[in-house]
Structures are given as structure tokens and as C-alpha cells.
């Protein structure tokens, strides 16, 4: 479809996450404050552009907040999202796989040595891949390690295939394809980094499959996409732009006095809005509703 000024953002495939990214780019490009509600109310590009123009003419300027580098410490606090994930992980028991994020994809023209080197660079680049979680004085904290013990597992889809000699492609030399990946997805111990698991197995014809599993406390769908992008670049032997900030820097920005004031205002808004209890839903019940909630 041709995208024009009368195109609708959401009809083009936009959703809430893309909307947040778009709002951020608009603010950086025009130095004007735009709310998420503006996009929902003005879904057509022409209408949204008019909103931006009006605010620029009215002098409603906006300056982005800068996240500064945090000082190096023995351990760091958790973000509110990580605290929730940590407590839920403990609630469900340390043997759960509820928060595992498995992924599988095919490798093309990649040697195992190249892949191992790329993952070593990826882990060195991203502190989250060198992070573990533990309790200090009863409070959850995260530790960023300088180095972690990481190895790629090599598996066979067929138990009677014990090596890789039938593949004549010298781009993929690796003699240790042993075992099967049936138990590849298993619980993570949050106290041991990395919370990343990688395996390689082969399909018929010698094609390789990359297996990855991560714990949700160090990644999500969006950040995982960035990791894959970085991995592809590193596999090609290309250099990546150095990171200006890391996740620990975001943690201290989130806990800054300025951010606390913003959160206090938001808390005040919701407490006032929810002063009165929510009305009971007039839905048919199979049993009488008790007077006291259980």
C-alpha cells in the first residue's frame, strides 16, 4: 500500500509499542511534546502533523532527558519490572520455566567457530547477559559480572548420528555434535549468569539450527530483537557502534529524584481516581456473592 498523509497509523499495522517508538521519534525530531493519547485521537498522519505544527507555533518546546552513566558498584538495585519478575519467579518455584523465552532459527554459511566468537562478543557488549540476581539483606539485587562461563551446546536431532562427518561443507567444522536437544529448555538459576542458553543442532542436509533460550528478567521481545540484530552483524564480522548507556544506567535514571516526582504525581492521580471502590458487575452468578471477599 502507498503511504500518504491520509494514511491511518493503526490500519498500516501500528500498535501500542510501535506508537511509543513513533512518539519518541517525533519528539526528538521536532522538539515538541506529543502524548500517546494524541496519536490515538489523531490516527491519520495529516491530523497528527497538524497537532505537531500547532504546538510548535505555540512554543510548546520539549527537551529530552539525558540518562547518565551510573557508577560501578558491587551490585545494583532492580527496576520495578525486574522486582515483579524476581518475586514471581520465586513464587512459582525455582524449577519453573514460565519466564523462559525460547527461540529457534536457521543458520546460513556460518561456522561454529564464528558463532562462538560472535556470542563471546555479544556477551561482552551487553551487561544484561552477564547479570545474575540474588538477595542481599532480604532485598533482591543484580550483579554484573566482568566475565561469565559460557559454552554453546551442540546436539543431534537423531540419536544414532554421533558426528558431523557426513557434511562436506568445510565452513561448518565441528566434531562434537553429541546428544539430543530434548531437554534444552529447562529452568534457569537466577543466581548464575548468564541467563542465556545457546545450542546448535543440524537438520537433514547438514543445515544448522540455532537454539536460544533466555530468562525474561534480562530480556523481552523488543530487546531480544536487538540482540539478534547485533548477533547477525557480529557473525558477518562487522563492527558495532559502542553503546552509550547500559541497563544499570537506566535503573539509576528511573530511581532519580526527578523521576520519583513524576511517579508521585502519577500515584496521586490514580489514588484519587480509585478512591471509590469499583462498582460490582451485574453478571449472573452460580453462587451467592459473599459479603466479604475471599
Amino acid at each position: 500500500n502507498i503511504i500518504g498523509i491520509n494514511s491511518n497509523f493503526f490500519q498500516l499495522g501500528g500498535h501500542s509499542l510501535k506508537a511509543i517508538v513513533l512518539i519518541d521519534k517525533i519528539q526528538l525530531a521536532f522538539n515538541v511534546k506529543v502524548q500517546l493519547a494524541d496519536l490515538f485521537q489523531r490516527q491519520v498522519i495529516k491530523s497528527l502533523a497538524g497537532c505537531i505544527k500547532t504546538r510548535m507555533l505555540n512554543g510548546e518546546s520539549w527537551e529530552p532527558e539525558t540518562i547518565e552513566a551510573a557508577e560501578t558498584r558491587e551490585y545494583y538495585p532492580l527496576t520495578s519490572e525486574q522486582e515483579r519478575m524476581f518475586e514471581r519467579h520465586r513464587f512459582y518455584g525455582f524449577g519453573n520455566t514460565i519466564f523462559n523465552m525460547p527461540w529457534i532459527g536457521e543458520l546460513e554459511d556460518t561456522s561454529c567457530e564464528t558463532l562462538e566468537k560472535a556470542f563471546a562478543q555479544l556477551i561482552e557488549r551487553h551487561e544484561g547477559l552477564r547479570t545474575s540476581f540474588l538477595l542481599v539483606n532480604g532485598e533482591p539485587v543484580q550483579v554484573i559480572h566482568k566475565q561469565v562461563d559460557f559454552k554453546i551446546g551442540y546436539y543431534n536431532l537423531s540419536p544414532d548420528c554421533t558426528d558431523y562427518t557426513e557434511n562436506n561443507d568445510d565452513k561448518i567444522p565441528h566434531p562434537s555434535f553429541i546428544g539430543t536437544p530434548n531437554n534444552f529448555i529447562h529452568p534457569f538459576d537466577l543466581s548464575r549468569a548468564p541467563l542465556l542458553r545457546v545450542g546448535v543442532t543440524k537438520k537433514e542436509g547438514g543445515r544448522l539450527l540455532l537454539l536460544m533460550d533466555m530468562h525474561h528478567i534480562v530480556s523481552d521481545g523488543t530487546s531480544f530483537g536487538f540482540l539478534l540484530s547485533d548477533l547477525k552483524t557480529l557473525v558477518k564480522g562487522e563492527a558495532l557502534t559502542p553503546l552509550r548507556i547500559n541497563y544499570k544506567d537506566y535503573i539509576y535514571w528511573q530511581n532519580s529524584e526527578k523521576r520519583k516526582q513524576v511517579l508521585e504525581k502519577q500515584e496521586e492521580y490514580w489514588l484519587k481516581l480509585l478512591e471509590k471502590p469499583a462498582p460490582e458487575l451485574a453478571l449472573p452468578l452460580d453462587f451467592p456473592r459473599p459479603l466479604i471477599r475471599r
Side-chain angles (χ1 to χ4, degrees):
N1 296 332
I2 298 176
I3 299 176
I5 61 173
N6 294 314
S7 298
N8 185 294
F9 172 76
F10 293 100
Q11 291 179 0
L12 291 172
H15 50 68
S16 57
L17 290 178
K18 289 183 178 179
I20 294 173
V21 173
L22 176 61
I23 292 299
D24 183 61
K25 290 184 176 181
I26 289 174
Q27 293 181 154
L28 290 173
F30 299 101
N31 292 324
V32 61
K33 183 67 175 177
V34 180
Q35 303 284 354
L36 190 59
D38 295 323
L39 181 55
F40 280 94
Q41 295 169 1
R42 302 169 178 84
Q43 300 180 14
V44 175
I45 296 174
K46 182 178 179 180
S47 177
L48 183 61
C51 171
I52 297 170
K53 182 178 180 180
T54 299
R55 293 185 180 175
M56 292 177 66
L57 292 174
N58 291 338
E60 300 180 29
S61 61
W62 172 84
E63 293 294 333
E65 292 186 57
T66 301
I67 299 180
E68 302 295 340
E71 61 183 18
T72 301
R73 295 190 176 188
E74 183 180 354
Y75 49 79
Y76 301 87
L78 275 60
T79 61
S80 55
E81 297 87 352
Q82 288 178 317
E83 286 182 1
R84 182 170 62 251
M85 191 73 61
F86 184 86
E87 292 303 328
R88 290 180 67 189
H89 180 88
R90 296 179 67 201
F91 175 80
Y92 287 112
F94 293 102
N96 77 82
T97 58
I98 297 174
F99 303 110
N100 286 46
M101 296 175 54
W103 179 89
I104 185 170
E106 189 168 322
L107 292 172
E108 296 182 2
D109 298 327
T110 304
S111 70
C112 296
E113 285 76 9
T114 298
L115 192 63
E116 289 173 349
K117 181 180 178 181
F119 268 103
Q121 293 173 312
L122 194 70
I123 292 172
E124 182 180 1
R125 173 178 174 82
H126 294 284
E127 292 181 346
L129 302 181
R130 292 182 276 111
T131 298
S132 62
F133 299 81
L134 64 154
L135 292 172
V136 174
N137 298 325
E139 294 293 329
V141 298
Q142 53 188 310
V143 179
I144 300 174
H145 304 267
K146 292 183 178 180
Q147 292 182 332
V148 293
D149 183 18
F150 174 80
K151 293 181 180 179
I152 296 177
Y154 296 92
Y155 308 94
N156 282 314
L157 291 177
S158 175
D160 59 355
C161 181
T162 57
D163 57 41
Y164 209 63
T165 57
E166 75 275 21
N167 184 359
N168 296 321
D169 187 355
D170 59 3
K171 293 183 179 179
I172 316 174
H174 205 287
S176 55
F177 281 76
I178 301 174
T180 59
N182 296 332
N183 62 342
F184 179 75
I185 300 175
H186 57 274
F188 282 105
D189 180 355
L190 297 189
S191 67
R192 300 182 63 182
L195 299 178
L196 164 71
R197 186 177 298 122
V198 178
V200 174
T201 187
K202 57 180 177 176
K203 298 171 63 177
E204 294 181 3
R207 290 179 298 172
L208 294 185
L209 288 178
L210 175 64
L211 312 174
M212 293 179 63
D213 192 16
M214 298 182 67
H215 197 282
H216 198 6
I217 200 169
V218 295
S219 183
D220 57 16
T222 301
S223 59
F224 187 72
F226 287 117
L227 289 176
L228 285 179
S229 177
D230 284 357
L231 178 64
K232 291 177 182 178
T233 301
L234 293 171
V235 165
K236 294 177 183 177
E238 301 174 359
L240 291 167
T241 304
L243 297 175
R244 190 185 70 82
I245 60 172
N246 284 282
Y247 196 71
K248 70 174 184 296
D249 307 322
Y250 166 75
I251 294 173
Y252 278 92
W253 171 81
Q254 187 187 66
N255 288 282
S256 65
E257 285 300 320
K258 188 174 182 179
R259 290 299 303 171
K260 286 181 180 178
Q261 293 174 6
V262 173
L263 293 177
E264 287 173 358
K265 288 183 179 179
Q266 294 177 354
E267 181 184 28
E268 182 181 346
Y269 167 82
W270 286 108
L271 288 175
K272 185 176 180 180
L273 185 68
L274 301 174
E275 280 179 342
K276 298 180 180 179
E280 293 184 358
L281 294 177
L283 296 174
L285 304 173
D286 49 358
F287 299 100
R289 186 189 299 274
L291 295 178
I292 300 176
R293 182 178 179 180
R294 298 177 181 176

